Amino acid sequence: MQRFGFALGLALALGLSGCSDASRPPEAVCTGQSGDNMVWVPGGSFVMGDDPHYSEEGPPQTVTVKGFWIDAHEVTNAQFAAFVQATGYKTMAERNPPKLPDAPPEMLVPGSAVFNVPSDADPSWWRWVPGAQWRHPSGLQESIVGRDREPVVQIAYQDAEAYAKWVGKELPSEAQWEYAARGGAAALPEPVDKKGRPQANYYQGVFPVKNLNTDGYVGRAPVGCFQPNGFGLYDMIGNVWEWTSASGSRSDASEPVNIIKGGSYLCAANYCARYRPAARQFQERGLGTDHIGFRLVDIKKLGPAS
């Protein structure tokens, strides 16, 4: 419930108003993948936090991880819908907020934080939107109907944990996630091929005012629309941020925070540039937003026979 204290501060500090529906490209260029396939990642050692770019990254350290199974792609709307249908679970964004004395009217009803393209008339980047939740990521005007294979978003840490418990898996540690994201190869400073073509769903152009849309998506892409990494994992970089089980520390946070990894469709070269395995951010556990999702690992399932 502390997420509302953070959101109130966000709203008051940024004067949150206005909203854009950065939800999907003009044309769907890929239908995405379905199912709950997992990929075996063999154990090994790597330099975690290598080549840090920001103060919260690093320091580099050699880490060894045991082999584990990890979801081939981010958990989708369809997968999360099955969980909700089976359990009746309500996400944090769907629950009634506490009646904070200084809260603006829109924050007295369930909702969540949504990215807003700033303008001269509305310079804010984020706003609290009543009704924003996993079925309506940017608010009631947006629906996920027909978008079963897009990654589920507006997922708080507690929501991801609840889903993980239901399927008998768990959130990856930061080391597991970063090791898997590297795919056994050196990390690239930007996810492009030799011809400069985007190899992940991120922001091309001058963020946040000019999206060149070179990758074909102005928002979330269906899972698996870009080439997998060396381990056969999709969208470890870009598309949506992903929760890990690792806790973090942030002085301005009003509640405990956990580490999210991978960047999102809002990461650009001129701002954020966190589409790297070593990149990390600290996110309040109770707040999802429309560009945070997750995938899971299974450490109980035996690896493939050697």
Side-chain angles (χ1 to χ4, degrees), residues 11 24 30-32 34 63 123 130 159 165 217 222 241:
R24 64 188 311 168
C30 170
T31 58
S34 61
V63 174
D159 304 329
K165 183 177 180 180
Y217 296 92
W241 285 97

Side-chain angles (χ1 to χ4, degrees), residues 80 83-95 134-135 155-163 166:
F80 198 79
F83 159 60
V84 171
Q85 183 175 8
T87 64
Y89 181 83
K90 284 190 175 183
T91 61
M92 296 294 289
E94 297 172 87
R95 303 179 191 182
W134 71 276
R135 296 182 184 88
I155 298 298
Y157 179 75
Q158 296 92 324
D159 304 329
E161 279 197 314
Y163 178 91
W166 181 67

Side-chain angles (χ1 to χ4, degrees), residues 177-196:
W177 193 99
E178 186 170 328
Y179 179 70
R182 292 178 180 274
L188 298 174
E190 187 171 346
V192 296
D193 63 14
K194 294 181 179 180
K195 295 183 178 180

Side-chain angles (χ1 to χ4, degrees), residues 154-215:
Q154 291 294 6
I155 298 298
Y157 179 75
Q158 296 92 324
D159 304 329
E161 279 197 314
Y163 178 91
K165 183 177 180 180
W166 181 67
V167 295
K169 303 177 187 178
E170 58 192 76
L171 286 165
S173 68
E174 184 179 13
Q176 287 173 327
W177 193 99
E178 186 170 328
Y179 179 70
R182 292 178 180 274
L188 298 174
E190 187 171 346
V192 296
D193 63 14
K194 294 181 179 180
K195 295 183 178 180
R197 294 173 297 197
Q199 299 299 295
N201 181 17
Y202 65 103
Y203 195 105
Q204 297 90 47
V206 180
F207 181 85
V209 295
K210 181 63 175 178
N211 188 353
L212 299 177
N213 196 24
T214 310
D215 59 11

